[in-house]
Short mmCIF file of all heavy atoms in Angstrom, two decimals:
data_model
loop_
_atom_site.label_atom_id
_atom_site.label_comp_id
_atom_site.label_asym_id
_atom_site.label_seq_id
_atom_site.Cartn_x
_atom_site.Cartn_y
_atom_site.Cartn_z
N MET X 23 0.86 -1.18 0.00
CA MET X 23 0.00 0.00 0.00
C MET X 23 0.89 1.22 0.00
O MET X 23 1.52 1.55 1.00
CB MET X 23 -0.90 -0.01 1.24
CG MET X 23 -1.85 1.18 1.30
SD MET X 23 -3.04 1.18 -0.05
CE MET X 23 -3.05 2.93 -0.49
N HIS X 24 0.99 1.86 -1.16
CA HIS X 24 1.81 3.06 -1.31
C HIS X 24 1.06 4.23 -0.69
O HIS X 24 -0.11 4.46 -1.00
CB HIS X 24 2.05 3.30 -2.81
CG HIS X 24 2.75 4.56 -3.15
ND1 HIS X 24 4.08 4.79 -2.87
CD2 HIS X 24 2.31 5.69 -3.79
CE1 HIS X 24 4.43 5.98 -3.31
NE2 HIS X 24 3.38 6.56 -3.86
N PRO X 25 1.67 5.00 0.21
CA PRO X 25 0.91 6.00 0.97
C PRO X 25 0.55 7.27 0.21
O PRO X 25 -0.37 7.98 0.61
CB PRO X 25 1.83 6.32 2.15
CG PRO X 25 3.21 6.03 1.65
CD PRO X 25 3.06 4.88 0.70
N GLN X 26 1.24 7.57 -0.87
CA GLN X 26 1.05 8.86 -1.55
C GLN X 26 0.04 8.75 -2.68
O GLN X 26 0.04 7.78 -3.44
CB GLN X 26 2.39 9.35 -2.10
CG GLN X 26 2.37 10.77 -2.63
CD GLN X 26 3.77 11.27 -2.95
OE1 GLN X 26 4.75 10.79 -2.39
NE2 GLN X 26 3.87 12.22 -3.86
N VAL X 27 -0.84 9.75 -2.78
CA VAL X 27 -1.83 9.79 -3.86
C VAL X 27 -1.12 9.97 -5.20
O VAL X 27 -0.25 10.85 -5.34
CB VAL X 27 -2.83 10.94 -3.64
CG1 VAL X 27 -3.77 11.08 -4.83
CG2 VAL X 27 -3.64 10.70 -2.35
N GLU X 28 -1.48 9.14 -6.19
CA GLU X 28 -0.83 9.20 -7.50
C GLU X 28 -1.84 9.35 -8.64
O GLU X 28 -1.47 9.21 -9.81
CB GLU X 28 0.00 7.93 -7.73
CG GLU X 28 1.11 7.70 -6.72
CD GLU X 28 2.25 8.71 -6.81
OE1 GLU X 28 2.26 9.49 -7.78
OE2 GLU X 28 3.12 8.74 -5.91
N SER X 29 -3.09 9.64 -8.30
CA SER X 29 -4.10 9.85 -9.34
C SER X 29 -5.30 10.54 -8.71
O SER X 29 -5.41 10.63 -7.48
CB SER X 29 -4.53 8.52 -9.98
OG SER X 29 -5.15 7.68 -9.00
N LYS X 30 -6.19 11.02 -9.55
CA LYS X 30 -7.43 11.61 -9.05
C LYS X 30 -8.60 11.04 -9.85
O LYS X 30 -8.44 10.63 -11.00
CB LYS X 30 -7.40 13.13 -9.16
CG LYS X 30 -7.24 13.70 -10.57
CD LYS X 30 -7.13 15.22 -10.52
CE LYS X 30 -7.01 15.82 -11.91
NZ LYS X 30 -6.87 17.30 -11.87
N MET X 31 -9.75 11.01 -9.21
CA MET X 31 -10.93 10.43 -9.86
C MET X 31 -12.18 11.08 -9.32
O MET X 31 -12.13 11.94 -8.43
CB MET X 31 -10.95 8.91 -9.69
CG MET X 31 -10.81 8.42 -8.28
SD MET X 31 -10.37 6.64 -8.21
CE MET X 31 -8.67 6.68 -8.74
N LEU X 32 -13.33 10.66 -9.84
CA LEU X 32 -14.60 11.29 -9.50
C LEU X 32 -15.34 10.48 -8.44
O LEU X 32 -15.28 9.25 -8.42
CB LEU X 32 -15.47 11.42 -10.75
CG LEU X 32 -14.87 12.22 -11.90
CD1 LEU X 32 -15.81 12.23 -13.08
CD2 LEU X 32 -14.52 13.64 -11.46
N SER X 33 -16.06 11.19 -7.59
CA SER X 33 -16.84 10.55 -6.52
C SER X 33 -18.31 10.50 -6.90
O SER X 33 -18.76 11.24 -7.78
CB SER X 33 -16.67 11.35 -5.22
OG SER X 33 -17.27 12.63 -5.37
N PRO X 34 -19.10 9.63 -6.24
CA PRO X 34 -20.55 9.66 -6.44
C PRO X 34 -21.11 11.03 -6.09
O PRO X 34 -20.79 11.58 -5.05
CB PRO X 34 -21.06 8.58 -5.49
CG PRO X 34 -19.90 7.66 -5.28
CD PRO X 34 -18.68 8.55 -5.34
N GLN X 35 -21.95 11.57 -6.97
CA GLN X 35 -22.49 12.91 -6.76
C GLN X 35 -23.98 12.91 -6.41
O GLN X 35 -24.62 13.95 -6.39
CB GLN X 35 -22.28 13.74 -8.03
CG GLN X 35 -20.83 14.10 -8.28
CD GLN X 35 -20.31 15.13 -7.28
OE1 GLN X 35 -20.82 16.24 -7.20
NE2 GLN X 35 -19.30 14.75 -6.51
N ASP X 36 -24.52 11.72 -6.13
CA ASP X 36 -25.91 11.63 -5.71
C ASP X 36 -26.08 10.35 -4.91
O ASP X 36 -25.24 9.45 -4.97
CB ASP X 36 -26.86 11.65 -6.91
CG ASP X 36 -26.58 10.49 -7.86
OD1 ASP X 36 -27.09 9.38 -7.62
OD2 ASP X 36 -25.80 10.68 -8.82
N LEU X 37 -27.16 10.27 -4.17
CA LEU X 37 -27.35 9.15 -3.25
C LEU X 37 -27.55 7.83 -3.98
O LEU X 37 -27.10 6.78 -3.52
CB LEU X 37 -28.55 9.42 -2.33
CG LEU X 37 -28.69 8.46 -1.16
CD1 LEU X 37 -27.51 8.60 -0.21
CD2 LEU X 37 -30.00 8.70 -0.42
N GLN X 38 -28.20 7.87 -5.13
CA GLN X 38 -28.43 6.63 -5.88
C GLN X 38 -27.12 5.99 -6.30
O GLN X 38 -26.92 4.77 -6.15
CB GLN X 38 -29.30 6.91 -7.10
CG GLN X 38 -29.57 5.67 -7.96
CD GLN X 38 -30.56 5.97 -9.07
OE1 GLN X 38 -31.72 6.20 -8.82
NE2 GLN X 38 -30.07 5.99 -10.31
N THR X 39 -26.21 6.80 -6.82
CA THR X 39 -24.89 6.29 -7.22
C THR X 39 -24.13 5.76 -6.01
O THR X 39 -23.46 4.73 -6.08
CB THR X 39 -24.09 7.41 -7.91
OG1 THR X 39 -24.85 7.92 -9.01
CG2 THR X 39 -22.76 6.89 -8.41
N TRP X 40 -24.21 6.48 -4.89
CA TRP X 40 -23.55 6.06 -3.65
C TRP X 40 -24.06 4.69 -3.21
O TRP X 40 -23.27 3.81 -2.84
CB TRP X 40 -23.81 7.10 -2.57
CG TRP X 40 -23.15 6.82 -1.25
CD1 TRP X 40 -21.91 7.23 -0.85
CD2 TRP X 40 -23.69 6.08 -0.15
NE1 TRP X 40 -21.65 6.78 0.43
CE2 TRP X 40 -22.73 6.08 0.88
CE3 TRP X 40 -24.89 5.42 0.07
CZ2 TRP X 40 -22.94 5.45 2.10
CZ3 TRP X 40 -25.11 4.79 1.28
CH2 TRP X 40 -24.14 4.80 2.28
N VAL X 41 -25.38 4.50 -3.26
CA VAL X 41 -25.97 3.22 -2.83
C VAL X 41 -25.52 2.08 -3.74
O VAL X 41 -25.17 0.99 -3.28
CB VAL X 41 -27.51 3.32 -2.79
CG1 VAL X 41 -28.14 1.94 -2.63
CG2 VAL X 41 -27.95 4.22 -1.65
N ILE X 42 -25.51 2.32 -5.06
CA ILE X 42 -25.05 1.30 -6.01
C ILE X 42 -23.62 0.87 -5.68
O ILE X 42 -23.30 -0.31 -5.63
CB ILE X 42 -25.13 1.84 -7.46
CG1 ILE X 42 -26.58 1.99 -7.91
CG2 ILE X 42 -24.38 0.91 -8.43
CD1 ILE X 42 -26.74 2.70 -9.25
N GLN X 43 -22.76 1.86 -5.46
CA GLN X 43 -21.35 1.57 -5.20
C GLN X 43 -21.18 0.80 -3.89
O GLN X 43 -20.46 -0.20 -3.82
CB GLN X 43 -20.57 2.88 -5.16
CG GLN X 43 -19.06 2.72 -5.11
CD GLN X 43 -18.35 4.06 -5.08
OE1 GLN X 43 -18.32 4.74 -4.06
NE2 GLN X 43 -17.80 4.46 -6.22
N ARG X 44 -21.84 1.27 -2.82
CA ARG X 44 -21.69 0.62 -1.52
C ARG X 44 -22.27 -0.78 -1.51
O ARG X 44 -21.75 -1.68 -0.86
CB ARG X 44 -22.33 1.47 -0.42
CG ARG X 44 -21.65 2.80 -0.14
CD ARG X 44 -20.16 2.62 0.14
NE ARG X 44 -19.52 3.82 0.62
CZ ARG X 44 -19.03 4.78 -0.14
NH1 ARG X 44 -19.13 4.68 -1.45
NH2 ARG X 44 -18.42 5.84 0.39
N PHE X 45 -23.35 -0.99 -2.25
CA PHE X 45 -23.95 -2.32 -2.32
C PHE X 45 -23.00 -3.29 -3.03
O PHE X 45 -22.86 -4.46 -2.62
CB PHE X 45 -25.29 -2.27 -3.04
CG PHE X 45 -25.94 -3.62 -3.19
CD1 PHE X 45 -26.50 -4.26 -2.10
CD2 PHE X 45 -25.98 -4.26 -4.42
CE1 PHE X 45 -27.10 -5.51 -2.23
CE2 PHE X 45 -26.58 -5.50 -4.57
CZ PHE X 45 -27.14 -6.13 -3.46
N LYS X 46 -22.33 -2.83 -4.07
CA LYS X 46 -21.36 -3.67 -4.77
C LYS X 46 -20.21 -4.04 -3.85
O LYS X 46 -19.76 -5.19 -3.82
CB LYS X 46 -20.84 -2.96 -6.02
CG LYS X 46 -21.82 -2.90 -7.18
CD LYS X 46 -21.40 -1.91 -8.24
CE LYS X 46 -20.11 -2.30 -8.90
NZ LYS X 46 -19.73 -1.35 -9.99
N TYR X 47 -19.71 -3.06 -3.09
CA TYR X 47 -18.61 -3.33 -2.17
C TYR X 47 -19.02 -4.39 -1.14
O TYR X 47 -18.32 -5.38 -0.90
CB TYR X 47 -18.20 -2.06 -1.42
CG TYR X 47 -17.56 -0.99 -2.26
CD1 TYR X 47 -17.44 0.31 -1.77
CD2 TYR X 47 -17.07 -1.24 -3.54
CE1 TYR X 47 -16.85 1.33 -2.53
CE2 TYR X 47 -16.49 -0.25 -4.29
CZ TYR X 47 -16.38 1.04 -3.78
OH TYR X 47 -15.80 2.02 -4.53
N ALA X 48 -20.18 -4.15 -0.50
CA ALA X 48 -20.62 -5.05 0.57
C ALA X 48 -20.97 -6.42 0.03
O ALA X 48 -20.53 -7.45 0.55
CB ALA X 48 -21.83 -4.44 1.29
N GLY X 49 -21.78 -6.45 -1.02
CA GLY X 49 -22.21 -7.73 -1.58
C GLY X 49 -21.07 -8.54 -2.14
O GLY X 49 -20.99 -9.76 -1.96
N GLY X 50 -20.14 -7.87 -2.83
CA GLY X 50 -19.00 -8.58 -3.40
C GLY X 50 -18.12 -9.21 -2.34
O GLY X 50 -17.71 -10.37 -2.46
N THR X 51 -17.84 -8.46 -1.27
CA THR X 51 -17.00 -8.98 -0.19
C THR X 51 -17.68 -10.15 0.51
O THR X 51 -17.03 -11.18 0.80
CB THR X 51 -16.70 -7.86 0.83
OG1 THR X 51 -16.05 -6.79 0.15
CG2 THR X 51 -15.81 -8.37 1.94
N LEU X 52 -18.96 -10.02 0.79
CA LEU X 52 -19.68 -11.09 1.50
C LEU X 52 -19.84 -12.32 0.62
O LEU X 52 -19.81 -13.46 1.12
CB LEU X 52 -21.05 -10.59 1.96
CG LEU X 52 -21.00 -9.51 3.05
CD1 LEU X 52 -22.40 -8.94 3.29
CD2 LEU X 52 -20.44 -10.07 4.35
N ASP X 53 -19.97 -12.12 -0.68
CA ASP X 53 -20.06 -13.26 -1.60
C ASP X 53 -18.75 -14.06 -1.61
O ASP X 53 -18.77 -15.29 -1.62
CB ASP X 53 -20.40 -12.77 -3.01
CG ASP X 53 -20.63 -13.91 -3.97
OD1 ASP X 53 -21.68 -14.56 -3.88
OD2 ASP X 53 -19.74 -14.17 -4.81
N ILE X 54 -17.62 -13.35 -1.58
CA ILE X 54 -16.33 -14.04 -1.48
C ILE X 54 -16.25 -14.81 -0.18
O ILE X 54 -15.81 -15.97 -0.14
CB ILE X 54 -15.17 -13.02 -1.59
CG1 ILE X 54 -15.13 -12.41 -2.99
CG2 ILE X 54 -13.84 -13.69 -1.27
CD1 ILE X 54 -14.16 -11.25 -3.12
N ALA X 55 -16.68 -14.17 0.93
CA ALA X 55 -16.63 -14.83 2.24
C ALA X 55 -17.48 -16.09 2.26
O ALA X 55 -17.12 -17.08 2.91
CB ALA X 55 -17.09 -13.86 3.32
N LYS X 56 -18.59 -16.07 1.56
CA LYS X 56 -19.49 -17.23 1.55
C LYS X 56 -18.97 -18.37 0.67
O LYS X 56 -19.07 -19.55 1.04
CB LYS X 56 -20.88 -16.80 1.05
CG LYS X 56 -21.90 -17.93 0.91
CD LYS X 56 -23.25 -17.35 0.55
CE LYS X 56 -24.28 -18.46 0.35
NZ LYS X 56 -24.16 -19.10 -0.99
N ASN X 57 -18.39 -18.03 -0.46
CA ASN X 57 -18.04 -19.06 -1.44
C ASN X 57 -16.56 -19.43 -1.49
O ASN X 57 -16.22 -20.50 -1.99
CB ASN X 57 -18.50 -18.60 -2.83
CG ASN X 57 -20.00 -18.44 -2.92
OD1 ASN X 57 -20.74 -19.39 -2.69
ND2 ASN X 57 -20.46 -17.24 -3.23
N ASP X 58 -15.68 -18.56 -1.02
CA ASP X 58 -14.24 -18.85 -1.06
C ASP X 58 -13.56 -18.09 0.07
O ASP X 58 -12.69 -17.26 -0.15
CB ASP X 58 -13.65 -18.46 -2.41
CG ASP X 58 -12.32 -19.14 -2.68
OD1 ASP X 58 -11.83 -19.87 -1.80
OD2 ASP X 58 -11.75 -18.92 -3.77
N ASN X 59 -13.99 -18.38 1.30
CA ASN X 59 -13.62 -17.57 2.45
C ASN X 59 -12.11 -17.55 2.67
O ASN X 59 -11.49 -18.59 2.86
CB ASN X 59 -14.31 -18.12 3.71
CG ASN X 59 -14.35 -17.10 4.82
OD1 ASN X 59 -13.37 -16.44 5.11
ND2 ASN X 59 -15.51 -16.96 5.45
N PRO X 60 -11.51 -16.34 2.66
CA PRO X 60 -10.06 -16.26 2.86
C PRO X 60 -9.63 -16.72 4.25
O PRO X 60 -8.46 -17.05 4.45
CB PRO X 60 -9.76 -14.76 2.65
CG PRO X 60 -11.06 -14.07 2.84
CD PRO X 60 -12.12 -15.03 2.39
N LEU X 61 -10.55 -16.74 5.23
CA LEU X 61 -10.18 -17.18 6.58
C LEU X 61 -9.78 -18.64 6.59
O LEU X 61 -8.97 -19.06 7.42
CB LEU X 61 -11.35 -16.96 7.55
CG LEU X 61 -11.44 -15.59 8.20
CD1 LEU X 61 -11.79 -14.52 7.18
CD2 LEU X 61 -12.49 -15.60 9.31
N PHE X 62 -10.34 -19.43 5.68
CA PHE X 62 -10.09 -20.88 5.67
C PHE X 62 -9.32 -21.32 4.44
O PHE X 62 -9.14 -22.51 4.21
CB PHE X 62 -11.43 -21.63 5.75
CG PHE X 62 -12.32 -21.14 6.86
CD1 PHE X 62 -13.50 -20.48 6.59
CD2 PHE X 62 -11.95 -21.33 8.18
CE1 PHE X 62 -14.31 -20.01 7.62
CE2 PHE X 62 -12.75 -20.87 9.22
CZ PHE X 62 -13.92 -20.22 8.93
N ARG X 63 -8.86 -20.36 3.67
CA ARG X 63 -8.14 -20.71 2.44
C ARG X 63 -6.70 -21.08 2.78
O ARG X 63 -5.99 -20.32 3.46
CB ARG X 63 -8.17 -19.53 1.48
CG ARG X 63 -7.69 -19.85 0.07
CD ARG X 63 -7.78 -18.62 -0.80
NE ARG X 63 -7.24 -18.88 -2.12
CZ ARG X 63 -7.92 -19.28 -3.18
NH1 ARG X 63 -9.22 -19.47 -3.06
NH2 ARG X 63 -7.34 -19.50 -4.33
N PRO X 64 -6.21 -22.23 2.32
CA PRO X 64 -4.82 -22.63 2.61
C PRO X 64 -3.84 -21.61 2.04
O PRO X 64 -4.07 -21.01 0.99
CB PRO X 64 -4.69 -23.98 1.88
CG PRO X 64 -6.09 -24.48 1.72
CD PRO X 64 -6.94 -23.26 1.55
N GLY X 65 -2.75 -21.40 2.77
CA GLY X 65 -1.70 -20.51 2.29
C GLY X 65 -1.69 -19.15 2.95
O GLY X 65 -0.69 -18.44 2.89
N MET X 66 -2.78 -18.76 3.59
CA MET X 66 -2.84 -17.47 4.26
C MET X 66 -2.06 -17.52 5.58
O MET X 66 -2.11 -18.51 6.31
CB MET X 66 -4.29 -17.09 4.56
CG MET X 66 -5.11 -16.70 3.35
SD MET X 66 -4.82 -14.98 2.89
CE MET X 66 -6.05 -14.82 1.59
N THR X 67 -1.39 -16.42 5.90
CA THR X 67 -0.77 -16.31 7.22
C THR X 67 -1.84 -15.89 8.23
O THR X 67 -2.94 -15.44 7.85
CB THR X 67 0.35 -15.25 7.23
OG1 THR X 67 -0.23 -13.96 6.99
CG2 THR X 67 1.38 -15.55 6.15
N LEU X 68 -1.52 -16.00 9.51
CA LEU X 68 -2.47 -15.60 10.55
C LEU X 68 -2.82 -14.12 10.43
O LEU X 68 -3.99 -13.73 10.53
CB LEU X 68 -1.89 -15.90 11.94
CG LEU X 68 -2.77 -15.47 13.14
CD1 LEU X 68 -4.10 -16.19 13.11
CD2 LEU X 68 -2.03 -15.74 14.46
N GLY X 69 -1.80 -13.29 10.21
CA GLY X 69 -2.05 -11.86 10.07
C GLY X 69 -2.98 -11.54 8.91
O GLY X 69 -3.87 -10.70 9.02
#
């Protein structure tokens, strides 16, 4: 994780766009946890 900003981009400018984006983040992460959970995937360190 490089600490310095190296690009700029656009943010959601209305609530509908914000909801679409946040739902994708939440649903995508939970779908991974349900179907290929990194907690139980071989090869991961404890950290």
Side-chain angles (χ1 to χ4, degrees):
M23 181 65 221
H24 174 70
Q26 189 171 335
V27 174
E28 300 292 351
S29 63
K30 61 184 182 182
M31 52 196 72
L32 302 178
S33 66
Q35 290 289 299
D36 59 84
L37 191 65
Q38 178 174 291
T39 304
W40 182 90
V41 168
I42 290 172
Q43 189 180 76
R44 293 307 190 275
F45 178 72
K46 286 166 64 177
Y47 292 165
T51 301
L52 293 172
D53 185 74
I54 293 171
K56 176 174 178 281
N57 297 301
D58 199 357
N59 199 315
L61 273 68
F62 310 112
R63 191 179 176 93
M66 288 278 186
T67 65
L68 177 61

